[in-house]
Amino acid sequence: MADHLPAFNHIEPGIVTVRRDDSLHSVPLNRTVHLTIVLPPDYQQSTGAYPVLYLNDGQDLPRLKMTAVLDSLYQNNSIRPFVLVAIHAGDRIQEYGTAAQADYLHRGSKAGLYTDFVLTELLPYIKKQYRVSSEPSQSVFAGFSLGGLSAFDIVFHHPERFSRAGVFSGSFWWRSKSTADGYRDETDRIMHNLVRKGRYTHHLQFWFETGTEDETSDRNNNGIIDAIDDTIDLIDELVRKGYDRSKDIRYVEINGGKHNQETWSEIMPDFLTWAFPHK
Protein backbone atom coordinates (compact mmCIF):
# COMPACT_ATOMS: atom_id res chain seq x y z
CA MET A 1 0.00 0.00 0.00
CA ALA A 2 1.41 3.36 -1.02
CA ASP A 3 2.17 5.88 1.69
CA HIS A 4 2.07 8.87 -0.61
CA LEU A 5 -0.96 11.08 -1.05
CA PRO A 6 -3.58 9.74 -3.46
CA ALA A 7 -3.24 10.95 -7.03
CA PHE A 8 -6.61 12.60 -7.36
CA ASN A 9 -7.87 15.63 -9.17
CA HIS A 10 -11.08 17.61 -8.97
CA ILE A 11 -13.48 16.53 -11.73
CA GLU A 12 -16.49 18.82 -11.65
CA PRO A 13 -18.00 21.68 -9.63
CA GLY A 14 -21.06 21.31 -7.43
CA ILE A 15 -22.10 20.99 -3.85
CA VAL A 16 -20.21 17.74 -3.44
CA THR A 17 -16.53 17.39 -4.32
CA VAL A 18 -15.62 14.64 -6.80
CA ARG A 19 -12.09 13.28 -6.90
CA ARG A 20 -10.46 10.56 -8.95
CA ASP A 21 -8.02 8.44 -6.95
CA ASP A 22 -5.73 6.13 -8.91
CA SER A 23 -3.19 5.34 -6.19
CA LEU A 24 -4.38 1.98 -4.94
CA HIS A 25 -2.69 -1.08 -6.42
CA SER A 26 -4.19 -4.38 -5.34
CA VAL A 27 -1.93 -7.38 -4.77
CA PRO A 28 -4.66 -10.07 -4.88
CA LEU A 29 -6.30 -8.53 -7.95
CA ASN A 30 -2.95 -7.69 -9.55
CA ARG A 31 -4.18 -4.35 -10.87
CA THR A 32 -4.60 -0.73 -9.99
CA VAL A 33 -8.10 -0.21 -8.68
CA HIS A 34 -9.45 3.13 -9.82
CA LEU A 35 -11.66 4.95 -7.34
CA THR A 36 -13.98 7.93 -7.57
CA ILE A 37 -14.33 9.63 -4.19
CA VAL A 38 -17.29 11.92 -3.56
CA LEU A 39 -16.90 14.13 -0.49
CA PRO A 40 -19.86 15.81 1.26
CA PRO A 41 -20.31 19.60 1.21
CA ASP A 42 -18.79 20.29 4.64
CA TYR A 43 -15.84 17.90 4.35
CA GLN A 44 -13.16 20.60 3.94
CA GLN A 45 -14.44 22.64 6.89
CA SER A 46 -14.80 19.78 9.34
CA THR A 47 -12.44 17.52 11.26
CA GLY A 48 -14.63 14.57 12.19
CA ALA A 49 -14.93 11.12 10.63
CA TYR A 50 -17.81 10.45 8.25
CA PRO A 51 -19.98 7.46 7.51
CA VAL A 52 -18.95 5.77 4.28
CA LEU A 53 -20.64 4.07 1.33
CA TYR A 54 -18.58 1.63 -0.75
CA LEU A 55 -20.15 1.21 -4.19
CA ASN A 56 -19.37 -1.41 -6.83
CA ASP A 57 -19.30 -0.42 -10.53
CA GLY A 58 -18.05 3.02 -9.62
CA GLN A 59 -17.32 3.77 -13.27
CA ASP A 60 -21.09 4.19 -13.72
CA LEU A 61 -21.44 7.30 -11.55
CA PRO A 62 -22.04 9.58 -14.57
CA ARG A 63 -24.85 7.37 -15.91
CA LEU A 64 -26.30 7.19 -12.41
CA LYS A 65 -26.23 11.02 -12.26
CA MET A 66 -24.84 10.50 -8.79
CA THR A 67 -23.45 13.99 -8.23
CA ALA A 68 -26.79 15.57 -9.15
CA VAL A 69 -28.64 13.10 -6.91
CA LEU A 70 -26.33 13.86 -4.00
CA ASP A 71 -26.40 17.63 -4.57
CA SER A 72 -30.20 17.57 -4.45
CA LEU A 73 -30.34 15.43 -1.30
CA TYR A 74 -27.82 17.65 0.49
CA GLN A 75 -29.63 20.81 -0.59
CA ASN A 76 -32.82 19.46 0.93
CA ASN A 77 -31.10 18.17 4.09
CA SER A 78 -32.47 14.72 3.26
CA ILE A 79 -29.35 12.75 4.20
CA ARG A 80 -26.55 12.99 6.70
CA PRO A 81 -23.14 13.72 5.17
CA PHE A 82 -21.11 10.68 4.12
CA VAL A 83 -18.12 9.83 1.94
CA LEU A 84 -18.82 7.82 -1.21
CA VAL A 85 -16.09 5.44 -2.36
CA ALA A 86 -17.00 4.29 -5.87
CA ILE A 87 -14.88 1.30 -6.91
CA HIS A 88 -14.38 0.99 -10.66
CA ALA A 89 -14.85 -2.55 -11.90
CA GLY A 90 -12.06 -4.60 -13.42
CA ASP A 91 -12.90 -8.10 -14.64
CA ARG A 92 -16.39 -7.82 -13.17
CA ILE A 93 -17.66 -11.21 -14.39
CA GLN A 94 -14.87 -12.89 -12.41
CA GLU A 95 -14.35 -10.44 -9.53
CA TYR A 96 -18.03 -10.02 -8.66
CA GLY A 97 -19.99 -12.96 -7.30
CA THR A 98 -19.94 -15.00 -4.10
CA ALA A 99 -16.57 -15.43 -2.41
CA ALA A 100 -17.29 -18.98 -1.26
CA GLN A 101 -18.17 -20.43 -4.66
CA ALA A 102 -18.07 -19.63 -8.38
CA ASP A 103 -21.17 -20.32 -10.44
CA TYR A 104 -21.68 -23.35 -12.70
CA LEU A 105 -19.78 -21.66 -15.56
CA HIS A 106 -16.94 -20.72 -13.17
CA ARG A 107 -17.92 -17.07 -13.27
CA GLY A 108 -17.02 -15.25 -10.07
CA SER A 109 -13.76 -17.18 -9.81
CA LYS A 110 -12.00 -14.11 -8.36
CA ALA A 111 -14.79 -13.07 -5.97
CA GLY A 112 -12.78 -14.35 -3.02
CA LEU A 113 -9.81 -12.25 -4.13
CA TYR A 114 -12.08 -9.23 -4.52
CA THR A 115 -13.38 -9.69 -0.98
CA ASP A 116 -9.79 -9.97 0.22
CA PHE A 117 -8.99 -6.72 -1.60
CA VAL A 118 -11.93 -4.93 0.02
CA LEU A 119 -11.13 -6.08 3.56
CA THR A 120 -7.32 -5.97 3.60
CA GLU A 121 -6.48 -3.20 1.14
CA LEU A 122 -9.42 -0.91 0.33
CA LEU A 123 -10.78 -0.31 3.82
CA PRO A 124 -7.37 0.45 5.38
CA TYR A 125 -6.44 2.68 2.42
CA ILE A 126 -9.64 4.71 2.63
CA LYS A 127 -9.33 5.00 6.41
CA LYS A 128 -5.78 6.33 6.01
CA GLN A 129 -6.42 8.79 3.17
CA TYR A 130 -9.88 10.10 4.04
CA ARG A 131 -11.72 10.94 7.22
CA VAL A 132 -14.11 8.02 7.35
CA SER A 133 -15.31 5.94 10.25
CA SER A 134 -14.24 2.31 10.47
CA GLU A 135 -17.19 1.46 12.72
CA PRO A 136 -19.47 -1.19 11.18
CA SER A 137 -22.49 0.93 12.09
CA GLN A 138 -21.12 3.68 9.84
CA SER A 139 -20.13 1.47 6.89
CA VAL A 140 -22.43 0.55 4.00
CA PHE A 141 -21.77 -1.46 0.82
CA ALA A 142 -23.96 -1.40 -2.30
CA GLY A 143 -23.99 -2.47 -5.91
CA PHE A 144 -25.98 -3.16 -9.04
CA SER A 145 -26.78 -6.48 -10.71
CA LEU A 146 -23.72 -8.72 -10.27
CA GLY A 147 -22.13 -5.94 -8.22
CA GLY A 148 -25.18 -6.06 -5.96
CA LEU A 149 -24.68 -9.77 -5.41
CA SER A 150 -21.06 -9.01 -4.51
CA ALA A 151 -22.01 -6.24 -2.07
CA PHE A 152 -24.60 -8.40 -0.34
CA ASP A 153 -22.18 -11.32 -0.06
CA ILE A 154 -19.49 -9.12 1.49
CA VAL A 155 -21.81 -7.47 4.02
CA PHE A 156 -23.63 -10.67 5.03
CA HIS A 157 -20.38 -12.52 5.69
CA HIS A 158 -18.48 -9.61 7.28
CA PRO A 159 -20.76 -7.94 9.82
CA GLU A 160 -17.64 -6.98 11.76
CA ARG A 161 -16.97 -4.43 9.00
CA PHE A 162 -20.40 -3.37 7.71
CA SER A 163 -23.95 -2.87 8.92
CA ARG A 164 -26.01 -2.29 5.77
CA ALA A 165 -26.16 -3.58 2.20
CA GLY A 166 -27.89 -2.02 -0.80
CA VAL A 167 -28.77 -4.26 -3.74
CA PHE A 168 -30.13 -2.85 -6.99
CA SER A 169 -31.45 -5.59 -9.33
CA GLY A 170 -29.24 -8.17 -7.64
CA SER A 171 -28.06 -11.24 -9.54
CA PHE A 172 -29.53 -13.67 -7.03
CA TRP A 173 -30.08 -16.21 -9.82
CA TRP A 174 -26.35 -17.08 -9.39
CA ARG A 175 -26.46 -20.85 -9.44
CA SER A 176 -24.36 -23.98 -9.06
CA LYS A 177 -26.13 -25.98 -11.79
CA SER A 178 -27.40 -25.26 -15.28
CA THR A 179 -31.03 -25.96 -16.10
CA ALA A 180 -29.79 -28.72 -18.42
CA ASP A 181 -28.19 -30.45 -15.43
CA GLY A 182 -31.35 -30.52 -13.34
CA TYR A 183 -31.18 -27.09 -11.65
CA ARG A 184 -33.72 -26.57 -8.85
CA ASP A 185 -34.57 -23.29 -7.12
CA GLU A 186 -34.71 -25.07 -3.77
CA THR A 187 -31.14 -26.34 -3.80
CA ASP A 188 -29.00 -24.64 -6.44
CA ARG A 189 -29.14 -20.86 -5.94
CA ILE A 190 -25.77 -20.07 -4.39
CA MET A 191 -26.59 -16.97 -2.32
CA HIS A 192 -29.77 -18.49 -0.92
CA ASN A 193 -27.77 -21.50 0.24
CA LEU A 194 -25.10 -19.28 1.79
CA VAL A 195 -27.75 -17.40 3.78
CA ARG A 196 -29.23 -20.70 4.97
CA LYS A 197 -25.78 -21.84 6.12
CA GLY A 198 -24.82 -18.45 7.53
CA ARG A 199 -25.58 -16.84 10.84
CA TYR A 200 -27.90 -14.13 12.02
CA THR A 201 -26.20 -10.89 13.07
CA HIS A 202 -28.48 -8.51 14.95
CA HIS A 203 -27.21 -5.22 13.50
CA LEU A 204 -27.34 -6.04 9.78
CA GLN A 205 -29.93 -4.36 7.57
CA PHE A 206 -30.68 -4.84 3.88
CA TRP A 207 -32.19 -2.74 1.10
CA PHE A 208 -33.34 -4.40 -2.13
CA GLU A 209 -34.73 -3.06 -5.40
CA THR A 210 -36.17 -4.84 -8.40
CA GLY A 211 -37.94 -3.59 -11.51
CA THR A 212 -40.86 -5.34 -13.14
CA GLU A 213 -38.96 -5.06 -16.43
CA ASP A 214 -35.58 -6.15 -15.06
CA GLU A 215 -35.79 -9.13 -17.43
CA THR A 216 -38.33 -11.42 -19.11
CA SER A 217 -37.14 -14.84 -17.85
CA ASP A 218 -39.62 -16.82 -15.76
CA ARG A 219 -38.08 -20.21 -14.93
CA ASN A 220 -41.05 -21.62 -13.03
CA ASN A 221 -43.74 -20.05 -15.26
CA ASN A 222 -45.53 -18.44 -12.31
CA GLY A 223 -46.03 -15.14 -14.10
CA ILE A 224 -43.34 -13.36 -12.04
CA ILE A 225 -39.94 -12.66 -13.55
CA ASP A 226 -36.95 -14.43 -12.01
CA ALA A 227 -35.31 -11.20 -10.80
CA ILE A 228 -38.27 -10.55 -8.52
CA ASP A 229 -38.74 -14.18 -7.49
CA ASP A 230 -35.06 -14.62 -6.63
CA THR A 231 -34.96 -11.42 -4.57
CA ILE A 232 -38.17 -12.16 -2.67
CA ASP A 233 -37.00 -15.72 -2.00
CA LEU A 234 -33.72 -14.36 -0.62
CA ILE A 235 -35.63 -11.99 1.65
CA ASP A 236 -37.66 -14.96 2.86
CA GLU A 237 -34.39 -16.77 3.67
CA LEU A 238 -33.24 -13.75 5.68
CA VAL A 239 -36.51 -13.71 7.61
CA ARG A 240 -36.17 -17.42 8.37
CA LYS A 241 -32.64 -16.68 9.58
CA GLY A 242 -34.06 -14.20 12.10
CA TYR A 243 -34.12 -10.81 10.36
CA ASP A 244 -37.22 -8.71 10.92
CA ARG A 245 -39.06 -8.07 7.64
CA SER A 246 -40.26 -4.64 8.71
CA LYS A 247 -37.23 -3.37 10.66
CA ASP A 248 -34.20 -4.99 9.04
CA ILE A 249 -35.28 -5.20 5.40
CA ARG A 250 -36.59 -2.72 2.85
CA TYR A 251 -37.80 -3.99 -0.52
CA VAL A 252 -38.71 -1.62 -3.34
CA GLU A 253 -40.34 -3.00 -6.48
CA ILE A 254 -40.55 -0.49 -9.33
CA ASN A 255 -43.38 -0.88 -11.80
CA GLY A 256 -41.79 -0.51 -15.23
CA GLY A 257 -38.31 -0.43 -13.72
CA LYS A 258 -35.58 -1.72 -16.01
CA HIS A 259 -32.16 -3.31 -15.54
CA ASN A 260 -30.25 -0.10 -16.18
CA GLN A 261 -28.59 2.89 -14.57
CA GLU A 262 -31.53 5.18 -15.33
CA THR A 263 -33.90 3.13 -13.16
CA TRP A 264 -31.27 2.75 -10.45
CA SER A 265 -30.61 6.50 -10.48
CA GLU A 266 -34.29 7.27 -10.02
CA ILE A 267 -34.56 5.06 -6.93
CA MET A 268 -31.15 6.10 -5.54
CA PRO A 269 -32.65 8.75 -3.18
CA ASP A 270 -34.77 6.05 -1.54
CA PHE A 271 -31.68 3.97 -0.86
CA LEU A 272 -29.53 6.88 0.34
CA THR A 273 -32.17 8.26 2.73
CA TRP A 274 -32.55 4.72 4.10
CA ALA A 275 -28.79 4.20 4.48
CA PHE A 276 -27.91 7.70 5.74
CA PRO A 277 -31.05 9.20 7.30
CA HIS A 278 -30.73 12.78 8.40
CA LYS A 279 -30.53 13.02 12.16
Side-chain angles (χ1 to χ4, degrees), residues 34-97:
H34 303 294
L35 307 171
T36 299
I37 310 295
V38 185
L39 303 173
D42 60 350
Y43 185 86
Q44 305 297 345
Q45 290 76 41
S46 66
T47 57
Y50 287 84
V52 57
L53 168 60
Y54 297 93
L55 187 67
N56 281 331
D57 280 315
Q59 72 281 353
D60 288 343
L61 288 195
R63 288 190 63 187
L64 292 163
K65 301 181 176 65
M66 186 63 85
T67 54
V69 169
L70 288 169
D71 282 350
S72 175
L73 291 172
Y74 282 128
Q75 280 180 320
N76 294 318
N77 288 321
S78 299
I79 54 173
R80 55 191 294 226
F82 70 94
V83 171
L84 168 60
V85 178
I87 313 153
H88 293 220
D91 184 359
R92 70 188 303 279
I93 297 298
Q94 298 303 329
E95 292 181 0
Y96 292 166

Side-chain angles (χ1 to χ4, degrees), residues 55-57 92 96-98 114 141-156 165-172 191 206-209 234 259 264:
L55 187 67
N56 281 331
D57 280 315
R92 70 188 303 279
Y96 292 166
T98 49
Y114 185 74
F141 209 121
F144 314 91
S145 191
L146 198 50
L149 173 67
S150 165
F152 179 88
D153 184 57
I154 289 171
V155 171
F156 182 78
V167 185
F168 298 74
S169 301
S171 297
F172 293 124
M191 196 67 245
F206 308 96
W207 182 98
F208 300 96
E209 173 272 337
L234 186 78
H259 197 88
W264 301 330

Side-chain angles (χ1 to χ4, degrees), residues 152 172 189 191-192 195-196 206 208 228-245 249 251:
F152 179 88
F172 293 124
R189 285 179 295 188
M191 196 67 245
H192 298 69
V195 169
R196 278 193 288 270
F206 308 96
F208 300 96
I228 292 175
D229 265 345
D230 292 337
T231 299
I232 289 176
D233 288 349
L234 186 78
I235 290 171
D236 289 343
E237 293 290 354
L238 289 170
V239 171
R240 281 191 284 271
K241 184 59 62 175
Y243 293 97
D244 187 293
R245 194 181 296 273
I249 299 165
Y251 172 61

